Amino acid sequence: MPLLESTVAGAAYGLSAVVLSHPFDTIKTRQQTEQTTKTRQQRGGMAVLVQLLRNEGPWALYKGFGPAAAGSILFRAVPFTVYTHARPRVASLPWFTDHPLAVSTVSGMMGGAARSLLECPAEVAKVRWQINRRVQVAGLYTGVSITMARNVSVIGLFWCLFEGTARWRKRVCGEWHGLSAFIGGAGCSTLAW
């Protein structure tokens, strides 16, 4: 996959993901961080949604959208870009020349590490804005180690599965390259997560 094509594909995926999921994420974040004053029990998602719409209006569902969108575009484009750039370099290393799935896994892991460095501060900022709190630079990398562990393993596994199923997808899909890419992307993402 050429470098520009992989970057654009990742960016498009990132933007569409946040446009569709951000209202749900805002409700989840409110639900996780607010408690009712009378019972001190967590409210259901529908109660949070109704109160949010009544008190703040429908645009409140998109609070924190800016950093979420920027982060989503970046942290979904970066693994594709890093993978595409790293793969030939990893493949040229002595042991890796005979182990193509290891090349895919390690290159994907490198993409996952790069994603983590962008994702963590964007997520921290998004959550702070969703709950109407100030963003402080000192805390932007809170949780980076667990984010890194998750992304390195999941994105490495994704690329291993994607490349490992390439021949099978070509056999099943024939000349329908778009269908092959869709099955590979959707299926391997689901399996990796």
Side-chain angles (χ1 to χ4, degrees), residues 8-26 61-62 64-77 80 115 119 123 126 130 189 193:
V8 170
Y13 166 44
L15 181 60
S16 62
V18 77
V19 165
L20 297 172
S21 68
H22 196 76
F24 297 101
D25 191 59
T26 298
L61 291 168
Y62 283 94
F65 179 80
S72 183
I73 289 167
L74 281 174
F75 65 72
R76 287 191 171 81
F80 281 80
R115 171 183 167 158
E119 180 178 14
E123 282 291 305
K126 177 198 71 165
Q130 284 176 323
S189 290
W193 282 99

Side-chain angles (χ1 to χ4, degrees), residues 75-76 78-79 111-119 150-151 155 193:
F75 65 72
R76 287 191 171 81
V78 164
R115 171 183 167 158
S116 300
L117 297 175
L118 298 170
E119 180 178 14
R150 179 195 67 197
N151 289 347
I155 294 170
W193 282 99

Side-chain angles (χ1 to χ4, degrees), residues 2-163:
L3 194 58
L4 180 61
E5 184 181 328
S6 66
T7 303
V8 170
Y13 166 44
L15 181 60
S16 62
V18 77
V19 165
L20 297 172
S21 68
H22 196 76
F24 297 101
D25 191 59
T26 298
I27 293 167
K28 173 203 62 132
T29 300
R30 292 286 181 102
Q31 189 177 18
Q32 290 173 339
T33 58
E34 294 179 356
Q35 294 180 333
T36 59
T37 53
K38 288 182 182 177
T39 63
R40 305 300 288 170
Q41 292 179 353
Q42 195 170 11
R43 296 176 295 151
M46 195 55 102
V48 172
L49 172 64
V50 168
Q51 182 180 13
L52 187 111
L53 292 175
R54 189 177 293 144
N55 295 343
E56 300 177 51
W59 290 112
L61 291 168
Y62 283 94
K63 277 191 172 183
F65 179 80
S72 183
I73 289 167
L74 281 174
F75 65 72
R76 287 191 171 81
V78 164
F80 281 80
T81 305
V82 170
Y83 175 82
T84 301
H85 185 72
R87 194 169 195 283
R89 286 154 185 77
V90 173
S92 70
L93 297 172
W95 182 83
F96 288 98
T97 56
D98 296 327
H99 300 91
L101 290 182
V103 170
S104 299
T105 304
V106 169
S107 300
M109 292 170 80
M110 293 168 79
R115 171 183 167 158
S116 300
L117 297 175
L118 298 170
E119 180 178 14
C120 190
E123 282 291 305
V124 169
K126 177 198 71 165
V127 168
R128 301 292 292 178
W129 277 322
Q130 284 176 323
I131 61 172
N132 297 319
R133 301 256 168 79
R134 286 177 24 116
V135 176
Q136 297 176 344
V137 175
L140 285 177
Y141 279 94
T142 301
V144 73
S145 58
I146 195 68
T147 301
M148 182 84 64
R150 179 195 67 197
N151 289 347
V152 164
S153 59
V154 169
I155 294 170
L157 180 57
F158 166 82
W159 284 109
C160 179
L161 293 168
F162 189 84
E163 297 297 345

